[in-house]
Amino acid sequence: MRIALFGKTFADELFYYFQQLVEILDRHDVQVIIHQPFYEFVRNRIRFDKEPQTFIAHHELPGNADFMFSIGGDGTMLDAITLIRDSGIPLMGINLGRMGFLSSISKDEINQAVTALLKGEYTLDKRSMLCVETPEHLFGEINYALNELTVNKKDTGSMILVHVYIDNILLNSYWADGLIIATPTGSTAYSLSCNGPIITPDSENFVITPIATHNLTVRPVVIPDKSVIRLKVEGRMSQYLVGLDSRSAIIDSSTEIVIRKETFSINLVQRLNDNFFTTIRQKLMWGRDVRN
């Protein structure tokens, strides 16, 4: 088996857990291929029994990796997706951060989770994504998002006005600090913090959630993901910010944004006893009496 490792940086006390992961893979004779910048970060702190291969770009992964492990938090997983792209390589997140909705394997579960994966005791959870089209090809080839697209004002000045069309029918003109177009996966991220609903991963929807809307009667709206969404922005400023998961760019107010469902999905590795409802109960501490 060949497993790609991707990560960024983490605190010194977490090297112990990464060393544990490397030793498990070595014991099972797994061929490791590691992202070159991440390897430069860990090489003087981690002992490899066999010198790992390295990779830089996404085209080096198909045919060379059966799985990818993301080492870090949810943000690291969103960056890992830009390397996996449409290859179909399953992704497992090992959480060295705090919340970890996507990177659901805690650092204390590494041995158990990796052993189960190597035994074939897992399922694949297909997650849909959205893609973005602009005349300027704003995000190049990586014009897709697992969580959300956001439109924000560029500075702390006045609100922006976002006109939203669903299949060429006007939904609303939002006076707000910004707007979120989230996938079901993204419904537990930024959208949730703006009072958006939690949507199950297989629900085939988008959710449109305003950020600090001026009109308090405006609420989040859930639409089918077969819909095509168009955004037009007005405001006193000539530019505004567009975010696509962990990436962002400045765009002119004259630019129209088109959002639709991406043609490919991302395969997340899920342990046999895990499911979406278990994850949200644990992460959001539902059913627990925090007074005790």
Side-chain angles (χ1 to χ4, degrees), residues 11 85 94 221 243 254:
R85 302 194 183 185
I94 297 175
V221 176
S254 60

Side-chain angles (χ1 to χ4, degrees), residues 104-105 109 123 270-276 278-279 282:
S104 58
I105 307 300
E109 299 174 313
T123 60
Q270 183 169 274
R271 291 175 295 181
L272 293 181
N273 293 327
D274 286 350
N275 57 68
F276 178 72
T278 299
T279 299
Q282 292 175 345

Side-chain angles (χ1 to χ4, degrees), residues 9-288:
T9 61
F10 45 74
D12 289 348
E13 62 268 20
L14 298 175
F15 277 94
Y16 166 80
Y17 298 98
F18 185 65
Q19 180 68 66
Q20 184 183 45
L21 170 64
V22 170
E23 291 174 359
I24 295 169
L25 297 178
D26 283 340
R27 284 200 305 270
H28 288 85
D29 199 30
V30 172
Q31 180 180 339
V32 170
I33 172 173
I34 185 169
H35 193 233
Q36 180 67 43
F38 185 46
Y39 180 59
E40 295 300 325
F41 171 67
V42 303
R43 64 184 305 177
N44 295 323
R45 303 287 298 274
I46 295 296
R47 183 184 67 261
F48 292 91
D49 287 349
K50 295 179 294 184
E51 191 70 11
Q53 298 181 23
T54 60
F55 72 98
I56 291 290
H58 73 97
H59 67 266
E60 300 173 76
L61 289 175
N64 290 320
D66 300 305
F67 295 89
M68 176 182 277
F69 289 178
S70 170
I71 318 299
D74 286 356
T76 306
M77 285 195 71
L78 294 178
D79 288 339
I81 288 165
T82 67
L83 291 168
I84 291 176
R85 302 194 183 185
D86 59 352
S87 66
I89 295 172
L91 176 63
M92 185 171 84
I94 297 175
N95 180 31
L96 299 184
R98 287 168 289 186
M99 179 67 77
F101 265 97
L102 296 177
S103 50
S104 58
I105 307 300
S106 74
K107 54 184 179 291
D108 298 316
E109 299 174 313
I110 291 175
N111 192 358
Q112 174 188 357
V114 174
T115 301
L117 174 73
L118 297 176
K119 290 181 178 179
E121 297 172 353
Y122 65 90
T123 60
L124 294 182
D125 185 8
K126 291 188 176 295
R127 297 296 182 96
S128 62
M129 297 190 294
L130 57 80
C131 73
V132 178
E133 300 170 4
T134 62
E136 297 86 356
H137 303 288
L138 194 62
F139 293 94
E141 294 180 351
I142 315 175
N143 65 330
Y144 54 84
L146 178 63
N147 270 356
E148 74 270 311
L149 173 134
T150 59
V151 178
N152 294 88
K153 57 186 183 181
K154 186 182 174 184
D155 53 33
T156 58
S158 60
M159 294 178 291
I160 57 175
L161 176 61
V162 186
H163 305 289
V164 179
Y165 298 84
I166 308 298
D167 296 327
N168 292 319
I169 299 174
L170 177 65
L171 167 65
N172 190 26
S173 296
Y174 293 88
W175 285 101
D177 284 353
L179 194 72
I180 304 166
I181 311 296
T183 65
T185 300
S187 71
T188 55
Y190 193 7
S191 176
L192 181 62
S193 71
C194 294
N195 295 316
I198 293 175
I199 301 176
T200 58
D202 57 351
S203 61
E204 301 183 347
N205 295 125
F206 291 136
V207 57
I208 302 171
T209 307
I211 305 169
T213 177
H214 180 65
N215 189 333
L216 296 181
T217 63
V218 172
R219 311 310 301 164
V221 176
V222 178
I223 64 171
D225 63 10
K226 63 183 179 181
S227 303
V228 177
I229 305 169
R230 286 193 301 119
L231 306 180
K232 295 181 180 180
V233 182
E234 292 183 27
R236 295 180 181 177
M237 303 300 173
S238 60
Q239 294 180 321
Y240 56 95
L241 288 174
V242 175
L244 203 58
D245 280 351
S246 56
R247 308 175 302 282
S248 63
I250 297 174
I251 196 167
D252 293 333
S253 58
S254 60
T255 301
E256 181 177 284
I257 300 174
V258 176
I259 302 123
R260 65 180 79 241
K261 185 179 180 179
E262 183 53 273
T263 55
F264 62 91
S265 57
I266 292 294
N267 295 316
L268 298 186
V269 175
Q270 183 169 274
R271 291 175 295 181
L272 293 181
N273 293 327
D274 286 350
N275 57 68
F276 178 72
F277 299 121
T278 299
T279 299
I280 60 175
R281 282 200 313 272
Q282 292 175 345
K283 301 300 181 180
L284 300 180
M285 296 186 291
W286 287 1
R288 299 184 189 178

